[in-house]
Amino acid sequence: MDLPCPEWIKYAEQKWTRLESATRERFSVFTDIDDLFHLGQSQLQPEDLEALSKISEKYSVKKSSECAARFREQGNLSFKEKDYSSAALYYTLGVCHAEKNTEQLSLCYANRSAALFHLGLYTKCLEDIQQAFDEGYPSHLQYKLMDRWTQCTNLVKMQEDLKASPTKHQTPQTNEDTDSSTNVLAAVSAHFHPEKGRYLLATEDKSAGEIVLEDEAFSFVLIPVNRPYKKSGEASIFTTESRHCHHCLCENFNSVPCRGCSYAQYCGQRCEREAWKQYHCWECSVGSELLTLGLLAHLALRVTLKAGIKEVQQARESCFKFVCEVPKATFISSDGKTGNGKPCSSGGTSDSLGLVSEPNVEGTLMSNECFQGSNHSSCYHGKSYLGIYSLLPHVGKHSPNLRFLLAFTMAALTHRLSLDVPPCHNHEECVCWGSEQSLLGATALRHMLQLQCNAQAVTAIKVKEDTSLPVQSSKEFRIATAVFPVLSLLNHSCQPNTSIFFSLGLSSFGSSTPVDFASGVTVTVRACRDIAAGQELLHCYGPHCHRMDVEKRQYLLLRQYYFYCQCEACTLELADRSRTLPLTLNGLKCEKCGSFLKRNVDVHVCSKLSCNHHILNTELQRRMQILHHHLEQALELMENNQLNGALSILQKTAKLADSILMKIHPLQGELADAMARAYATMGLWRQAASHLKSSIAAVCSQYGKDSLELGRQQFKLAQLHFNGGDGPSALSVIPLARRLFSFHCDPHCKELQELQAMEACLSSTT
């Protein structure tokens, strides 16, 4: 949850309605964040803190031997069923809940080592065996671990020998490969305009697929989707928080637990130490409250703690030191020089992301040193706190009751933090924060307001863990929420010219500083179509012209980002709505003549003038619900390996769909994709490929011919042709899929590697 849990929101709303009208009016006109925080702080009473404590009880992060034993038993059941991935994750939950220096902890480590052994993760298995010994594993059972230790040591040595042996497939990394992804702002310049705020222009031509820039997240928080824990046996218990390091987000099966709470877990001791030093020494004791008060409050606090009190004070001084008249369109190039530029007329005109300043009551502009001094490049990288602090909080655009909720929430959180000054790595920093509760709270409140518009969902593609499937199904998951200094400068377009790809885990960021490790999340921005020098770089905030109509897009953008979108896609769609909306977006079919349907107020009518057919919207909605229900039934049967029953339902549903839906309708694509999966599981490759081609037509219509979604469907089609032994067809599809993945993804992503391997295999046999 991004905002606080429903119980706390309801409590804060009741608090707001009980305020005296004069206090509410005073709060409603405040635009200064310090004033907002102080008023929220003044309304905080002991009973409010008691209420927070009671609500937080169900989000407990305390260590518990009882919970550890329960998770270990669940892991044992999965292990017996040879579901070693689930077993390892259950044992990880046991490791996180077990108290330090207990037999329960040693047993969890030992059992997890067995699961890791069967998963082929021998080095990680050895690490867990050592941890089990360190935690006092029972002496009468140690012979089992010693046997496993010997087997693992031999297997690891064999793997190392194989890696050391040169093969004809190994190619050395070239400097060209390294340099292509290290120039953060070499090909762009940052500009400013009072109506648009900061925005980025390309300084050189970029072809589709080329990297435009990279950015490092200043901070991020893993999405806590599993609190409170679901009951045993529910498949959704393992998602992001059980699989990813809470500090660098890399995926792993043998997490190292936090020393103090059962929630935070890490990929190794290094991340555990860094997290504790930067922020978790504060967060650990209030983990339950953070889960209660929501992800945005958590991320806002973490940004503040990671920056540190000195950086916060310097940023506050910088952003309020200079007062100047609203400037002309000034810009900052990647070399730090300033000049004048013209406002870009194409694309979105949002001022919601990346404005460096906002007007004060006299109509002048409060500006920061990014636009005043000579060293501008310091604002544009992941470690730049000033780049984060200078983002607009949009105080006046948030509703008064939402502002109160955020201020009251942050006041409660900072008060809870002030009760315990943690044993930080930097004692001076901890003492300062402990005595500067108002500074900590007001700064975190500023970031919480900013994040309403500037938070970025970090996503990754997850492949379904079912090795029996010949064609793997995948889905995009939201892993974390982050804030990026440079990415936040990109304005919105409903038809953007860039796409983004996230890399997770600590890595060297930039060839010029090979020992400078990224925070754990980096984003690569690529051109998804050709971009000419001088053209604005545009990013989609969510509403895309291929996925929803213009009215819905503009409503969502205005509600969340506070701007009325005037991008090229919106302008064209509004100018010629009668043609574009009914004929390309709804995909509804006239049962009488087969033409498109157009929507009127209460009915859909045939677009063909000579046809008088019409259908009530309520009847059309009812029939669509039936189709969706049948599809869900079929998918559930497929999950339970009842393929014949699933196919029977899908075939009947497809006939019903054909009567009211064009082949380009998204639901037609979903039905065809499901039938392709069913036939592929049965080994009927030709039938599967035929249905997947129908799905591809719908996906292309919905997402566009240059979309990543289309690339994923082409990738699956290549797999079907390859598995079915149809080499020529596979070779004809592989370049199409590779082209689309190269537009959007890292050159070393799994899909591109598999496409390359398939092509090499097929080429060697022809």
Side-chain angles (χ1 to χ4, degrees):
M1 55 186 171
D2 290 351
L3 289 173
C5 70
E7 296 93 331
W8 180 254
I9 291 177
K10 183 178 180 180
Y11 184 88
E13 286 175 347
Q14 292 172 347
K15 185 87 175 180
W16 169 254
T17 57
R18 289 196 299 265
L19 292 178
E20 295 180 357
S21 58
T23 303
R24 286 204 304 271
E25 289 175 9
R26 188 155 48 98
F27 192 90
S28 298
V29 299
F30 279 164
T31 56
D32 182 82
I33 295 175
D34 288 346
D35 290 342
L36 289 174
F37 177 75
H38 290 147
L39 187 54
Q41 196 176 36
S42 70
Q43 299 303 314
L44 190 66
Q45 302 297 322
E47 58 266 24
D48 302 325
L49 297 170
E50 291 175 8
L52 175 60
S53 178
K54 185 174 182 180
I55 295 172
S56 300
E57 286 177 358
K58 70 176 183 178
Y59 300 96
S60 175
V61 296
K62 293 180 179 179
K63 300 282 189 181
S64 168
S65 295
E66 181 181 346
C67 288
R70 176 163 55 87
F71 286 125
R72 185 167 64 85
E73 287 301 318
Q74 291 170 337
N76 291 343
L77 292 174
S78 294
F79 191 92
K80 290 177 182 178
E81 295 173 357
K82 297 185 179 181
D83 184 358
Y84 301 118
S85 296
S86 294
L89 292 168
Y90 273 123
Y91 293 140
T92 292
L93 291 174
V95 165
C96 291
H97 281 78
E99 297 183 47
K100 191 73 175 172
N101 300 320
T102 61
E103 182 177 297
Q104 189 63 248
L105 180 56
S106 70
L107 292 172
C108 288
Y109 273 125
N111 288 16
R112 191 171 70 178
S113 73
L116 295 173
F117 179 84
H118 285 280
L119 289 170
L121 303 173
Y122 304 122
T123 301
K124 295 183 181 297
C125 174
L126 290 173
E127 292 172 2
D128 270 9
I129 292 173
Q130 185 60 55
Q131 290 282 6
F133 283 133
D134 292 344
E135 296 296 336
Y137 190 67
S139 57
H140 67 281
L141 298 175
Q142 289 187 4
Y143 71 93
K144 296 181 180 180
L145 287 188
M146 291 306 300
D147 289 344
R148 194 175 301 139
W149 177 279
T150 302
Q151 294 180 65
C152 272
T153 302
N154 293 334
L155 289 167
V156 168
K157 188 177 185 305
M158 290 174 59
Q159 288 179 337
E160 290 175 348
D161 290 342
L162 287 172
K163 288 180 181 179
S165 302
T167 66
K168 63 181 180 179
H169 300 294
Q170 291 177 335
T171 56
Q173 187 179 22
T174 64
N175 291 330
E176 184 179 7
D177 290 335
T178 303
D179 293 342
S180 65
S181 62
T182 58
N183 294 326
V184 178
L185 279 177
V188 303
S189 60
H191 296 241
F192 175 80
H193 187 271
E195 293 182 1
K196 298 181 62 166
R198 288 182 287 184
Y199 59 99
L200 299 179
L201 298 183
T203 59
E204 58 187 56
D205 294 344
K206 287 290 181 181
S207 301
E210 282 192 81
I211 293 177
V212 179
L213 62 90
E214 285 188 326
D215 193 17
E216 178 186 352
F218 181 83
S219 194
F220 51 86
V221 170
L222 192 73
I223 295 175
V225 292
N226 286 336
R227 292 287 170 153
Y229 280 118
K230 297 183 182 296
K231 295 179 181 179
S232 175
E234 293 190 24
S236 60
I237 187 170
F238 300 124
T239 49
T240 55
E241 65 185 42
S242 301
R243 299 172 182 268
H244 293 269
C245 173
H246 288 211
H247 183 65
C248 77
L249 292 189
C250 77
E251 194 168 8
N252 67 99
F253 279 99
N254 67 328
S255 296
V256 173
C258 167
R259 64 190 76 176
C261 70
S262 64
Y263 178 67
Q265 51 187 280
Y266 307 98
C267 61
Q269 295 294 339
R270 174 183 175 179
C271 279
E272 191 272 338
R273 288 192 301 268
E274 286 298 312
W276 186 265
K277 180 173 68 174
Q278 292 180 17
Y279 52 82
H280 195 64
C281 60
W282 286 91
E283 296 178 356
C284 188
S285 62
V286 294
S288 299
E289 287 82 355
L290 288 170
L291 290 168
T292 301
L293 298 179
L295 188 144
L296 293 185
H298 191 171
L299 180 54
L301 176 68
R302 184 171 291 186
V303 168
T304 310
L305 294 172
K306 184 178 177 182
I309 194 166
K310 292 182 180 178
E311 287 276 355
V312 167
Q313 290 172 336
Q314 289 174 3
R316 284 169 66 93
E317 292 171 3
S318 296
C319 281
F320 296 101
K321 181 177 180 181
F322 298 97
V323 179
C324 60
E325 294 299 323
V326 177
K328 294 182 179 179
T330 56
F331 72 89
I332 301 166
S333 64
S334 59
D335 61 2
K337 297 179 180 179
T338 59
N340 293 322
K342 296 180 180 179
C344 182
S345 59
S346 63
T349 57
S350 161
D351 65 348
S352 62
L353 286 184
L355 267 177
V356 69
S357 51
E358 50 186 333
N360 64 14
V361 292
E362 287 82 19
T364 57
L365 204 70
M366 305 302 296
S367 185
N368 68 28
E369 287 181 334
C370 287
F371 285 86
Q372 297 293 332
S374 59
N375 185 17
H376 310 291
S377 60
S378 62
C379 295
Y380 302 130
H381 58 80
K383 293 180 173 59
S384 167
Y385 177 65
L386 186 57
I388 299 298
Y389 191 89
S390 62
L391 296 171
L392 270 183
H394 287 294
V395 179
K397 294 181 179 179
H398 297 295
S399 64
N401 58 329
L402 177 59
R403 278 182 274 162
F404 178 79
L405 169 65
L406 302 185
F408 187 63
T409 294
M410 198 52 68
L413 180 57
T414 51
H415 182 85
R416 177 65 183 83
L417 281 168
S418 69
L419 299 178
D420 299 301
V421 177
C424 291
H425 176 80
N426 187 338
H427 181 69
E428 180 182 352
E429 181 85 6
C430 291
V431 172
C432 289
W433 275 135
S435 61
E436 291 284 353
Q437 182 181 343
S438 294
L439 177 61
L440 173 65
T443 305
L445 175 58
R446 176 185 179 87
H447 295 317
M448 201 172 178
L449 289 161
Q450 290 171 329
L451 290 170
Q452 292 286 322
C453 291
N454 291 284
Q456 172 68 51
V458 177
T459 59
I461 298 300
K462 297 288 185 181
V463 177
K464 185 176 179 181
E465 294 177 352
D466 188 349
T467 55
S468 65
L469 292 176
V471 178
Q472 295 292 304
S473 60
S474 61
K475 185 178 181 180
E476 188 173 63
F477 281 82
R478 183 182 171 201
I479 297 174
T481 296
V483 58
F484 293 85
V486 182
L487 186 64
S488 295
L489 303 183
L490 269 68
N491 278 331
H492 167 81
S493 171
C494 296
Q495 192 169 15
N497 55 16
T498 65
S499 63
I500 59 177
F501 180 84
F502 297 102
S503 299
L504 310 180
L506 293 176
S507 61
S508 181
F509 189 68
S511 62
S512 60
T513 55
V515 296
D516 185 18
F517 284 90
S519 63
V521 177
T522 57
V523 62
T524 302
V525 180
R526 281 185 167 81
C528 62
R529 60 176 187 263
D530 293 347
I531 299 175
Q535 190 174 352
E536 184 175 359
L537 304 179
L538 300 168
H539 170 46
C540 182
Y541 295 176
H544 196 287
C545 66
H546 288 304
R547 300 167 196 177
M548 62 182 73
D549 61 58
V550 63
E551 287 90 351
K552 187 174 182 180
R553 296 199 309 269
Q554 296 202 325
Y555 168 75
L556 292 174
L557 290 166
L558 184 62
R559 186 179 67 174
Q560 181 172 354
Y561 297 104
Y562 311 116
F563 71 92
Y564 183 78
C565 186
Q566 296 178 339
C567 72
E568 184 178 2
C570 285
T571 302
L572 291 174
E573 206 168 318
L574 288 170
D576 197 9
R577 189 180 313 180
S578 62
R579 179 181 64 82
T580 58
L581 181 58
L583 297 185
T584 63
L585 287 180
N586 60 23
L588 300 174
K589 180 180 179 181
C590 174
E591 294 179 90
K592 186 176 179 180
C593 70
S595 301
F596 281 98
L597 291 180
K598 297 190 298 184
R599 179 171 182 170
N600 286 344
V601 179
D602 297 318
V603 298
H604 275 75
V605 299
C606 183
S607 59
K608 190 175 181 180
L609 296 178
S610 60
C611 180
N612 59 0
H613 178 73
H614 65 275
I615 182 172
L616 290 173
N617 294 341
T618 53
E619 172 61 17
L620 186 61
Q621 184 179 14
R622 185 188 69 82
R623 295 171 71 173
M624 291 293 294
Q625 288 175 343
I626 292 173
L627 294 176
H628 280 288
H629 177 66
H630 288 336
L631 175 59
E632 290 172 2
Q633 281 184 315
L635 292 175
E636 186 175 348
L637 290 173
M638 288 172 62
E639 291 291 331
N640 296 321
N641 292 319
Q642 299 179 37
L643 297 176
N644 290 328
L647 269 176
S648 177
I649 292 176
L650 288 171
Q651 288 166 349
K652 292 177 183 177
T653 307
K655 289 182 180 179
L656 292 173
D658 284 341
S659 65
I660 61 171
L661 300 178
M662 294 289 188
K663 287 297 185 182
I664 63 171
H665 192 280
L667 183 56
Q668 289 276 38
E670 293 180 49
L671 288 167
D673 185 82
M675 294 183 77
R677 285 168 51 195
Y679 280 120
T681 305
M682 299 170 71
L684 301 174
W685 308 109
R686 187 165 296 178
Q687 293 94 319
S690 175
H691 285 285
L692 194 61
K693 288 177 183 177
S694 298
S695 173
I696 286 174
V699 169
C700 183
S701 175
Q702 183 181 6
Y703 295 106
K705 60 183 178 61
D706 293 328
S707 64
L708 180 58
E709 289 82 0
L710 179 60
R712 290 174 185 149
Q713 294 299 98
Q714 298 281 16
F715 173 71
K716 289 195 290 186
L717 183 59
Q719 286 182 312
L720 290 175
H721 288 317
F722 183 85
N723 291 336
D726 188 353
S729 295
L731 286 172
S732 68
V733 174
I734 287 172
L736 303 176
R738 188 172 56 220
R739 169 182 169 272
L740 293 176
F741 274 100
S742 68
F743 284 179
H744 303 278
C745 300
D746 187 272
H748 304 292
C749 71
K750 293 179 180 179
E751 291 85 355
L752 282 171
Q753 290 179 345
E754 185 170 341
L755 288 168
Q756 183 179 2
M758 282 193 288
E759 190 171 42
C761 179
L762 292 170
S763 299
S764 65
T765 59
T766 57

